[in-house]
Amino acid sequence: MTGSADSGEGRLPARRPVTLRDVAEAAGVSVATASKALNDQGRMTAETRTRIREVARRLGFRPNGLAQSLLRRRSFTVGLLTNDTYGRFSLPVMAGISEALVDAGVSVFLCNVEDDPRLGQLHVEAMLEKRVDGIIASGKRLDRHLPVTLAGLGVPIIYAFTEPDPGSIAFVSDDAQGARLAVEHFVALGRRRIAHVTGPESFMVVHQRAAAWRAVLAEHGLGVPDGFYMSGRWSERFGHEAVAQLFGGPGEKPDAIFCGNDQLARGVVDALRERGLAVPDDVGVIGFDNWEIVAAETRPPLTSVDMNLSALGREAGLTLLSLVDGKAVEPGIRKLPCRLVVRQSCGRPPDG
Amino acid sequence: MTGSADSGEGRLPARRPVTLRDVAEAAGVSVATASKALNDQGRMTAETRTRIREVARRLGFRPNGLAQSLLRRRSFTVGLLTNDTYGRFSLPVMAGISEALVDAGVSVFLCNVEDDPRLGQLHVEAMLEKRVDGIIASGKRLDRHLPVTLAGLGVPIIYAFTEPDPGSIAFVSDDAQGARLAVEHFVALGRRRIAHVTGPESFMVVHQRAAAWRAVLAEHGLGVPDGFYMSGRWSERFGHEAVAQLFGGPGEKPDAIFCGNDQLARGVVDALRERGLAVPDDVGVIGFDNWEIVAAETRPPLTSVDMNLSALGREAGLTLLSLVDGKAVEPGIRKLPCRLVVRQSCGRPPDG
DNA sequence: CTCATTTGAGAAAAGGTTTTCTCAACCCGG
DNA sequence: CCGGGTTGAGAAAACCTTTTCTCAAATGAG
């Protein structure tokens, strides 16, 4: 009704964004009324309400989230701190986190801190200034801290797939349970001489998985011949070396190899084939991590333990939301179960 | 000087964050003076300034970024839209972007839109409400749009490694130049029968690289025998199949294979070895993408074309900052050069 | 017709900071 | 002693929205 002026619908972006005041003036009401009309609050005639809404729509009004956040003392924003931007662990975790938060209308600041305390401090400062509602710390190893301390910051913190501070809330994978899954799968298929090829002993998970491997073997009365445990680098190359050792010497030969990750397993499978040993007929192989792109392209495709990282991230995100809403959450470390993804590298299941 | 009350340094987080007003009251000045003291603005005695600063430090004052952003009409925040959270392309791009922006004190909202227009719309709305200073669109393919249109939003937009809208500013890799690097490297090493094993023809880059491959061969008077061009899936498996075709038939055999990605190259190298052909002595192989974890573990390690994605991301980030600062930037698509990372899969350089 | 109640809508404060103005006090040259 | 300039600091507006009051007009009961 303001004459012929172009409403701007779909046209060049306005220099200055349209504010609630603009809407109010255009509709001939006060900003208070305009606000209430758009938020379904207060009392007014239905006609007034629809008129204001129509004006807002026509002007392309979009409420300023900064002003809203300032007033509500809640920014609908969380910070995600990680030292593993490139890696394949934190990515599924992050995806799970985002997924959980998006549904609540919460946006995520992604901050990569590498292993640089200065960078970590910088990012944390920035997050706090931007008044994030909470922070999630994620990483690439369960036994290493991020290079920054998050205690006593005044905002809720959740740890997901990284070493937590004492007394905090954390979600991690249950590596021992995952290892049990693998070894018990071998046992169920009738394998009896099960070796374990894994990464460096500086990794906590290496010990956890090895302990579970030994435990399952013991429970089934199976022994661990000398040399059936091999620790080295997390690489295909070491997979090859391990096979050379395991099958090159005079001693007993394994009929199954549980590997600490999929790259090792890939190396092991390739090395076995090159020695003329058939996978899974002569030797069964199981990997860890279920890194699709490696596991699926191995010949034969790898059976592997999946850490359900995406679900882990989702749990972390949902829990953070609870904290932000003021709900109390018991501190402690939650271990989330792994699952076994069966492909073709260890033979038919017992019923086959 | 306020007596014995615990200053709270390092203690339990205060329920309510301390504001500038708190600082001003504690220091016995007005908020205006307090603000100026902390920002090195205005005029006051050095004593006043240091006193206020000391009080602010003691109270753990941290300015509220929301209030600052509201006033400055600048949130020091940008949105990063991608449909490739898991993939390996957008990750280096993202890392480069973050790196460029962190130094300017700008935080990044990471938003994964998959290929879901609804999710895309949702994220864009959220970004605009949160008053991002700009948006960067990234993806996993140069020839596919994100599932959301970004024109006329009223904020600066940059496209990085994804199909741009017409008239916009975009950064992409120069795939033709990258392919030339590879083929010319082969030619310089004396290879004469250079095959090309690549991905599906639904990818634009497949055409660009193939055209460059043909062009370089033509420039050097080298022919392209029938069957020297093979298009299939982007998988190791197809690499094997391609080798079977290339070397199984009666025709001329290549002495070099330029592969469309590192997985293909890995499959090709493995297949060659299995046929008893030596890499690089009998056949040279070059990959594309320089995916470290594949290229370095291949036996022998792969020479590969690197798209410099991290640098590409950095350029995109810096350019967005220019736009945000109001500087004019010529629209258009900038192709950034690739580089060849030489490992051991195609023999000694000529001078060796 | 009067009084109490409901209805529709606006004024103003709040959220935390920055910046422009204003103003009193002081200094100094004339 | 006077007037112009400087200095130190505060008042107030601005950023944009939400929410609580407040208030006049309209309505209904008696």
Side-chain angles (χ1 to χ4, degrees):
Chain A
M1 308 302 157
T2 53
S4 64
D6 186 301
S7 72
E9 204 159 328
R11 301 302 312 281
L12 290 176
R15 239 347 108 226
R16 193 177 57 86
V18 22
T19 73
L20 191 58
R21 177 200 298 264
D22 299 330
V23 174
E25 280 175 8
V29 297
S30 70
V31 288
T33 304
S35 172
K36 283 179 284 197
L38 297 177
N39 294 317
D40 244 332
Q41 300 282 317
R43 292 180 307 201
M44 68 194 67
T45 50
E47 187 276 329
T48 308
R49 205 180 285 277
T50 54
R51 178 167 48 91
I52 294 173
R53 289 205 171 149
E54 176 54 29
V55 171
R57 201 193 56 71
R58 181 162 55 80
L59 263 45
F61 170 72
R62 199 188 303 281
N64 185 324
L66 296 171
Q68 292 179 322
S69 297
L70 185 57
L71 202 54
R72 293 188 177 137
R73 290 203 193 73
R74 176 105 156 63
S75 66
F76 285 90
T77 280
V78 311
L80 175 50
L81 230 38
T82 172
N83 62 356
D84 181 33
T85 346
Y86 284 97
R88 65 186 185 286
F89 296 124
S90 64
L91 280 171
V93 177
M94 280 167 37
I97 290 171
S98 300
E99 189 191 317
L101 297 177
V102 164
D103 290 335
V106 173
S107 303
V108 178
F109 281 122
L110 176 63
C111 300
N112 179 29
V113 300
E114 312 284 352
D115 289 308
D116 180 350
R118 193 194 58 86
L119 204 54
Q121 193 59 32
L122 200 73
H123 277 302
V124 170
E125 294 284 340
M127 287 179 182
L128 293 176
E129 295 209 348
K130 285 176 176 136
R131 291 302 193 266
V132 294
D133 297 331
I135 296 179
I136 300 182
S138 186
K140 56 189 167 192
R141 280 182 66 166
L142 294 178
D143 52 357
R144 284 285 182 279
H145 260 100
L146 289 184
V148 60
T149 169
L150 298 173
L153 251 36
V155 291
I157 311 279
I158 298 274
Y159 294 79
F161 205 78
T162 190
E163 169 86 37
D165 283 328
S168 58
I169 303 169
F171 293 86
V172 301
S173 54
D174 190 343
D175 284 79
Q177 174 265 351
R180 293 193 79 92
L181 281 181
V183 184
E184 280 169 353
H185 186 69
F186 276 143
V187 173
L189 291 176
R191 310 281 174 170
R192 287 295 172 267
R193 302 182 308 283
I194 305 171
H196 185 31
V197 174
T198 187
E201 294 185 336
S202 56
F203 283 72
M204 186 186 62
V205 293
V206 163
H207 296 275
Q208 294 177 340
R209 296 174 192 171
W213 163 70
R214 284 182 209 278
V216 174
L217 293 185
E219 285 161 20
H220 291 273
L222 301 173
V224 180
D226 269 1
F228 266 36
Y229 170 81
M230 306 202 62
S231 159
R233 283 171 307 112
W234 293 116
S235 65
E236 281 187 45
R237 207 163 299 261
F238 178 61
H240 280 87
E241 293 167 20
V243 167
Q245 291 245 355
L246 284 168
F247 292 87
E252 200 176 6
K253 309 284 187 285
D255 62 0
I257 304 178
F258 168 43
C259 299
N261 77 4
D262 288 339
Q263 286 164 271
L264 286 171
R266 168 75 191 256
V268 164
V269 169
D270 285 355
L272 288 171
R273 187 174 50 248
E274 285 165 22
R275 292 186 88 85
L277 290 164
V279 174
D281 291 344
D282 296 328
V283 184
V285 177
I286 297 185
F288 213 104
D289 295 350
N290 190 32
W291 191 15
E292 184 73 22
I293 207 148
V294 171
E297 288 280 344
T298 301
R299 294 169 302 155
L302 271 179
T303 291
S304 184
V305 178
D306 188 303
M307 293 189 279
N308 286 323
L309 293 177
S310 181
L312 191 155
R314 201 163 43 242
E315 285 301 311
L318 293 174
T319 306
L320 182 61
L321 290 179
S322 292
L323 284 177
V324 171
D325 282 345
K327 294 183 194 126
V329 176
E330 192 70 21
I333 299 179
R334 276 96 163 144
K335 292 198 177 184
L336 268 45
C338 305
R339 70 179 204 278
L340 190 71
V341 175
V342 176
R343 294 197 182 82
Q344 301 162 33
S345 63
C346 43
R348 284 179 243 81
D351 62 83
Chain B
M1 314 300 158
T2 53
S4 65
D6 185 301
S7 72
E9 205 160 326
R11 301 301 311 281
L12 290 176
R15 242 344 113 226
R16 193 178 57 85
V18 21
T19 72
L20 191 58
R21 177 198 299 264
D22 299 330
V23 174
E25 280 175 9
V29 298
S30 69
V31 289
T33 304
S35 171
K36 284 178 284 196
L38 298 176
N39 294 316
D40 243 332
Q41 300 281 316
R43 292 178 308 199
M44 69 195 67
T45 49
E47 187 275 330
T48 307
R49 204 180 284 277
T50 55
R51 179 167 48 91
I52 294 173
R53 289 205 170 151
E54 176 54 29
V55 171
R57 201 194 56 70
R58 182 163 53 79
L59 263 43
F61 169 71
R62 199 187 304 279
N64 185 323
L66 297 170
Q68 292 178 321
S69 297
L70 185 58
L71 200 54
R72 293 186 178 139
R73 290 201 192 75
R74 176 105 157 62
S75 65
F76 286 89
T77 280
V78 310
L80 176 50
L81 230 38
T82 172
N83 62 356
D84 181 33
T85 347
Y86 285 95
R88 65 185 185 287
F89 296 124
S90 63
L91 281 171
V93 176
M94 279 166 39
I97 290 171
S98 300
E99 189 191 318
L101 296 177
V102 164
D103 289 336
V106 172
S107 303
V108 177
F109 282 123
L110 176 63
C111 300
N112 178 29
V113 299
E114 312 284 352
D115 288 309
D116 180 348
R118 193 195 59 85
L119 204 54
Q121 193 58 33
L122 199 73
H123 276 302
V124 170
E125 295 284 340
M127 286 178 181
L128 293 177
E129 293 210 350
K130 285 175 176 137
R131 292 300 194 265
V132 294
D133 297 331
I135 295 179
I136 299 182
S138 186
K140 56 189 166 192
R141 279 182 67 166
L142 294 179
D143 52 358
R144 284 285 182 280
H145 260 101
L146 289 184
V148 61
T149 168
L150 298 173
L153 251 37
V155 292
I157 311 279
I158 298 274
Y159 294 80
F161 204 79
T162 190
E163 169 86 36
D165 283 327
S168 59
I169 303 170
F171 293 87
V172 301
S173 55
D174 189 343
D175 284 78
Q177 174 264 351
R180 294 194 78 94
L181 281 182
V183 183
E184 281 169 351
H185 185 68
F186 275 143
V187 172
L189 291 176
R191 310 281 174 170
R192 288 292 172 268
R193 301 182 308 282
I194 305 170
H196 185 31
V197 174
T198 188
E201 293 186 337
S202 56
F203 282 72
M204 185 185 62
V205 293
V206 164
H207 297 275
Q208 293 177 338
R209 296 174 192 170
W213 164 68
R214 284 182 208 279
V216 173
L217 293 185
E219 286 162 20
H220 291 274
L222 300 174
V224 181
D226 270 1
F228 266 37
Y229 169 81
M230 306 202 62
S231 160
R233 282 172 307 112
W234 292 116
S235 65
E236 281 188 44
R237 208 162 298 261
F238 177 62
H240 280 88
E241 294 166 21
V243 167
Q245 290 245 357
L246 285 167
F247 292 87
E252 199 176 9
K253 309 284 185 285
D255 62 358
I257 305 179
F258 168 43
C259 298
N261 77 5
D262 288 340
Q263 287 164 270
L264 285 171
R266 168 74 191 257
V268 163
V269 169
D270 286 354
L272 289 171
R273 187 174 51 248
E274 286 166 21
R275 292 187 87 84
L277 290 165
V279 175
D281 291 344
D282 297 327
V283 184
V285 178
I286 297 184
F288 212 104
D289 295 349
N290 190 32
W291 192 15
E292 184 73 20
I293 207 148
V294 172
E297 288 280 343
T298 301
R299 294 169 301 153
L302 272 179
T303 291
S304 184
V305 177
D306 188 303
M307 293 189 279
N308 286 323
L309 292 177
S310 180
L312 191 154
R314 200 162 46 242
E315 285 301 311
L318 293 174
T319 307
L320 183 61
L321 290 179
S322 292
L323 284 177
V324 171
D325 282 346
K327 295 183 193 125
V329 176
E330 192 70 19
I333 300 179
R334 276 95 164 145
K335 292 197 177 186
L336 268 45
C338 305
R339 70 179 203 278
L340 189 72
V341 175
V342 176
R343 293 197 182 82
Q344 300 162 35
S345 63
C346 43
R348 285 179 244 81
D351 62 84

